[in-house]
Amino acid sequence: MTNLELELHRLVHVRLQQLSTSHVAVVCKRLGHFRTEPTGRAPDVLCAPLPESAAMLRERTPRVAPQQVSTVCFEGRRVLLYSHRGHPDLILDPGTPVRILVSRRAGATKRFYNALLFAIHLSATRRGGLLLHAAALRDPHGRTALVLGPRRSRKTHLTLELLNRGWDYLADDKLLLHQGRAHLFEHRLVIRRHHLSALPWLAERLNGPDAPRTIRSQPLRLLLERLQHIAAYTISDKLQPLLQPLINPAFPQELTRHLPSARILSSARPDALFVLTPAERQGCTPLEATRLLCQLVAIERLYLGGMGPLEAMSDYAHPDPDSADLTTLLERNLTGVPGFSLAVTEQASAAELAEPLVRQLADLEPRTSSPCPA
């Protein structure tokens, strides 16, 4: 059993208390740069082992869909319960502090980290911030761009292209937004096969004796691409999520190892927002403030929805009439930041995708002083 404390930009304090090594390891890999010595401060998020008293919940776990989340009463509070094969697997209590009680099952680590992300987001909202699904980079002239779009909208392609041009890194997929500033969250890039196909220089940069075979072998990448195409037409939708990690595996990479010239920033105030939008022609057009806000809310809800029904069910289990809604939080934190629709065609290369953003950002004056390096 291991203890760990994280301090996320003085916004969210996380305590992992007596958790198994496997659960702590997955947090250290992704958020270890926030590790801090115990201070005695009360945590905003407390993670602990599932107590023996949770066994009583076995009779209340869903029987038809045992992998889904349900709302139950535990220790006098309404909580969210995940089960595994009829046994309690994880409890999320959305009160103050947010509590995550997780089983020692090694296979629960992914579910645990997913719940931790939501708990961090929930705690941040209570202080006027949020965990935002976005990429963020700073150009050589000090202007910071936030790039937003749902999953598979090519944010990582654009991030990698700009990093290769010498831009500084703040986020690829997630960042903490608070008081109008974007803050570093994770600094690992998750590379997949389609990134290697779209960016030829990337495979060369990542290639090495310890690189996975999928990175080192182009014929194997082409074979997996063909298998994925076949599977899309022959494998049922229910089995697709199980097959994807085998056909299109993820390769988390440390940024500084493969892009040593890229500087990792701790925080920066955004100068412009770019929303990736499917289109037939490339281009970058201004977005009216109301429309921009609607799109930002929709993208964030899609991201939160990917965590399951945690947001809606936590509101049901622990209603808080004083908490700000998502629209208000985004509006407060991004007031005055100009927004643009960045049209993305299916055939556009990463370089072609980056050009309109680079030109548009070059026309803006930096809104802030120099960002804080990590």
Side-chain angles (χ1 to χ4, degrees):
M1 295 298 170
T2 310
N3 296 330
L4 181 69
E5 301 222 9
L6 308 174
E7 184 68 46
L8 281 67
H9 302 287
R10 299 183 181 179
L11 178 62
V12 180
H13 188 88
V14 179
R15 178 176 298 160
L16 278 61
Q17 187 171 288
Q18 295 297 305
L19 289 187
S20 68
T21 304
S22 60
H23 289 71
V24 174
V26 73
V27 176
C28 283
K29 283 182 181 179
R30 303 184 185 192
L31 302 176
H33 47 287
F34 292 119
R35 189 168 187 167
T36 185
E37 294 297 323
T39 60
R41 172 186 167 183
D44 302 299
V45 178
L46 176 63
C47 307
L50 202 64
E52 293 182 2
S53 57
M56 60 176 285
L57 297 175
R58 183 175 180 180
E59 297 301 321
R60 308 179 201 175
T61 56
R63 298 182 183 278
V64 178
Q67 301 300 326
Q68 293 184 358
V69 61
S70 59
T71 306
V72 300
C73 187
F74 179 67
E75 296 180 349
R77 300 178 59 84
R78 279 178 292 183
V79 300
L80 282 61
L81 170 68
Y82 277 102
S83 62
H84 177 73
R85 296 181 179 177
H87 295 272
D89 199 38
L90 183 145
I91 290 174
L92 191 149
D93 177 0
T96 304
V98 182
R99 290 193 306 157
I100 300 174
L101 307 176
V102 62
S103 70
R104 295 181 175 87
R105 184 176 67 89
T109 53
K110 183 177 180 180
R111 176 174 286 177
F112 163 66
Y113 189 72
N114 194 53
L116 178 60
L117 290 178
F118 176 75
I120 290 171
H121 168 76
L122 183 59
S123 296
T125 62
R126 293 169 180 172
R127 289 192 167 93
L130 69 154
L131 184 63
L132 184 67
H133 182 53
L137 300 107
R138 190 192 73 162
D139 74 3
H141 302 287
R143 307 177 188 91
T144 301
L146 259 59
V147 182
L148 303 102
R151 294 186 184 280
R152 302 188 179 183
S153 60
R154 303 186 67 185
K155 288 192 302 298
T156 301
H157 286 86
L158 183 56
T159 298
L160 289 165
E161 174 64 26
L162 295 175
L163 287 173
N164 193 44
R165 297 185 183 197
W167 288 41
D168 294 330
Y169 174 91
L170 184 60
D172 164 49
D173 185 65
K174 297 180 275 293
L175 57 87
L176 282 168
L177 187 64
H178 184 232
Q179 295 181 344
R181 294 187 69 88
H183 299 274
L184 176 73
F185 191 68
E186 299 177 346
H187 56 58
R188 295 194 314 162
L189 286 170
V190 177
I191 307 298
R192 294 187 182 273
R193 190 193 64 250
H194 58 275
H195 300 137
L196 299 170
S197 302
L199 299 161
W201 59 267
L202 183 60
E204 297 178 7
R205 193 76 60 87
L206 299 179
N207 197 2
D210 58 343
R213 191 175 178 185
T214 309
I215 291 179
R216 290 185 281 114
S217 172
Q218 185 177 9
L220 179 57
R221 294 201 301 272
L222 294 175
L223 174 62
L224 290 175
E225 186 175 347
R226 179 62 179 163
L227 288 174
Q228 185 173 21
H229 180 75
I230 295 172
Y233 293 94
T234 58
I235 305 298
S236 69
D237 291 341
K238 290 184 178 180
L239 294 178
Q240 287 288 344
L242 300 176
L243 191 63
Q244 286 306 307
L246 302 175
I247 295 180
N248 193 16
F251 304 109
Q253 301 292 326
E254 290 295 333
L255 182 68
T256 53
R257 178 179 177 185
H258 301 291
L259 292 163
S261 61
R263 189 166 67 145
I264 299 176
L265 305 177
S266 175
S267 69
R269 192 173 294 274
D271 295 288
L273 308 173
F274 294 89
V275 179
L276 300 178
T277 309
E280 295 182 353
R281 292 184 178 181
Q282 289 291 122
C284 188
T285 56
L287 279 173
E288 186 267 330
T290 303
R291 185 181 175 190
L292 172 64
L293 184 60
C294 288
Q295 289 197 329
L296 297 183
V297 171
I299 291 168
E300 185 68 2
R301 289 208 181 281
L302 284 171
Y303 169 66
L304 294 173
M307 299 180 181
L310 294 179
E311 183 185 23
M313 294 191 74
S314 65
D315 288 342
Y316 167 70
H318 186 77
D320 185 0
D322 297 326
S323 63
D325 60 16
L326 192 55
T327 302
T328 303
L329 290 169
L330 286 167
E331 190 173 24
R332 287 176 181 171
N333 281 282
L334 296 174
T335 297
V337 183
F340 303 89
S341 176
L342 184 60
V344 181
T345 64
E346 192 172 334
Q347 299 80 14
S349 67
E352 292 170 334
L353 177 60
E355 282 306 322
L357 183 152
V358 172
R359 288 196 300 269
Q360 187 64 63
L361 197 62
D363 293 336
L364 301 175
E365 289 295 329
R367 298 174 66 235
T368 64
S369 56
S370 299
C372 304

